[in-house]
Amino acid sequence: MSGDQTQRSTRCLIAKVGLDGHDRGAHVISRAFRDAGFEVIYSGLHQSPDAIVQAAVQEDVDVLGVSILSGAHGTLVPKIVDGLDDYGALEDTLLVVGGIIPDDDQPELFDLGVDAIFGPGASIDEMVDFVRENRPDR
């Protein structure tokens, strides 16, 4: 095949984990990713880590974007990472976390397997470019 071969659209799951009820950012990202040509699935509010992992695996997503503002990232994100790993999907899924993640907590999340963290003030273009440049090849 030539270098111009058609590749399937980047599939993204944008997920709201835990009891966090603030989903404006997740909606903004979902819309921006759709405008960038990505296929976007939005989980809705109050999803458990297991439900998010199940959706990511069943939908065969390239990117899992986890939005969390509740401060429970140290508990919930590791459960998502473990679940993806249990299904052998961690290496094939770009894992991005968005929300308010204190700088001191970020190294631990990166060590677990989070590929990027985007906090308040991150630009949409930066996020879209990161996904385009780092999306797993399938």
Side-chain angles (χ1 to χ4, degrees):
M1 292 186 143
S2 72
D4 298 331
Q5 70 187 18
T6 303
Q7 191 174 33
R8 78 174 172 108
S9 177
T10 300
R11 291 175 60 91
C12 305
L13 172 63
I14 305 300
K16 287 297 298 178
V17 66
L19 298 177
D20 179 9
H22 298 89
D23 64 347
R24 180 181 169 131
H27 284 277
V28 169
I29 297 306
S30 294
R31 189 169 300 116
F33 278 13
R34 280 191 188 109
D35 290 349
F38 303 154
E39 182 180 343
V40 178
I41 302 152
Y42 175 61
S43 73
L45 290 171
H46 311 301
Q47 298 299 306
S48 70
D50 185 56
I52 291 167
V53 168
Q54 292 295 319
V57 170
Q58 289 172 7
E59 295 290 345
D60 192 28
V61 297
D62 304 300
V63 181
L64 172 54
V66 178
S67 174
I68 187 163
L69 298 168
S70 66
H73 52 272
T75 301
L76 298 174
V77 172
K79 290 180 181 181
I80 292 170
V81 170
D82 288 345
L84 290 172
D85 193 40
D86 288 347
Y87 281 95
L90 186 58
E91 289 186 25
D92 295 333
T93 306
L94 188 67
L95 179 57
V96 179
V97 176
I100 300 173
I101 312 295
D103 292 342
D104 290 346
D105 294 349
Q106 293 184 16
E108 181 180 341
L109 296 179
F110 286 126
D111 288 346
L112 289 171
V114 170
D115 295 297
I117 297 171
F118 294 103
S123 77
I124 298 292
D125 290 339
E126 178 185 5
M127 291 179 231
V128 168
D129 289 345
F130 182 85
V131 168
R132 284 187 175 140
E133 292 168 11
N134 294 284
R135 179 204 136 158
D137 291 328
R138 298 223 181 188

